[in-house]
Amino acid sequence: MAVGRRVFPLDQVLRLRVDSWSGGSARVAMEQGLQAASFDLAAQAFESAVGASISGDSVRRITEGDGAKILALRAGEIEQVQVAFAAGDRNWAQQLPAMVPIEGQANVSTDGVFIRIRDEDWNAAQSQS
């Protein structure tokens, strides 16, 4: 916790972030910030989806701030793999945190590239109309 920052008990109960947005609101803002052509357009899409007001600058701060955290996590994972690989450990993939598998049906959308199918080989992705 930053020195001199006030902590309000209700913020803790509601699990608000340091920027006072809820985790769900911040996730929606970041998703819109990543997809829209501008942060101002992302703010409009956020308002339509959530029904709450947000500025383009707030969407930018949330998107860039959370993106920096994700980038730092990825950099840590890359460093783990590089250290294990340099040490000759060929089981480096097992050292990474497990991803939650998709249960049930999933959809893959591609643009004519090859994708790796588990327990198979590289296959040309074909769209189904």
Side-chain angles (χ1 to χ4, degrees), residues 1 3 8 13 31 46 61 77 83 102 104 116 123:
M1 180 171 63
V3 176
F8 297 98
V13 170
E31 289 172 354
F46 176 91
R61 282 191 298 273
E77 290 175 351
V83 168
I102 298 171
R116 175 97 171 133
N123 294 307

Side-chain angles (χ1 to χ4, degrees), residues 80 87 119:
Q80 283 180 321
D119 298 328

Side-chain angles (χ1 to χ4, degrees), residues 2 14 18-19 22-23 52 56 66 69 71 73 80-81 87 94 99 104-105 108:
L14 297 174
V18 174
D19 57 12
S22 70
D66 288 359
K69 291 175 189 172
L71 185 60
L73 288 173
Q80 283 180 321
V81 170
Q94 296 172 359
M99 301 296 284
Q105 185 175 355
V108 175

Side-chain angles (χ1 to χ4, degrees), residues 17 19 21 24-50 52-68:
R17 299 159 28 117
D19 57 12
W21 290 100
S25 293
R27 181 180 49 77
V28 172
M30 184 175 68
E31 289 172 354
Q32 296 300 329
L34 291 171
Q35 295 176 18
S38 73
F39 292 123
D40 289 334
L41 290 174
Q44 291 174 5
F46 176 91
E47 291 176 13
S48 294
V50 176
S53 180
I54 190 170
S55 69
D57 283 340
S58 290
V59 173
R60 179 189 54 77
R61 282 191 298 273
I62 291 168
T63 304
E64 290 176 352
D66 288 359

Side-chain angles (χ1 to χ4, degrees), residues 63-118:
T63 304
E64 290 176 352
D66 288 359
K69 291 175 189 172
I70 292 168
L71 185 60
L73 288 173
R74 297 291 184 257
E77 290 175 351
I78 290 168
E79 185 176 345
Q80 283 180 321
V81 170
Q82 289 174 339
V83 168
F85 192 77
D89 184 357
R90 298 298 179 232
N91 295 319
W92 54 266
Q94 296 172 359
Q95 298 175 18
L96 296 176
M99 301 296 284
V100 178
I102 298 171
E103 296 182 14
Q105 185 175 355
N107 182 32
V108 175
S109 178
T110 65
D111 58 357
V113 298
F114 279 81
I115 58 173
R116 175 97 171 133
I117 306 295
R118 186 182 307 173

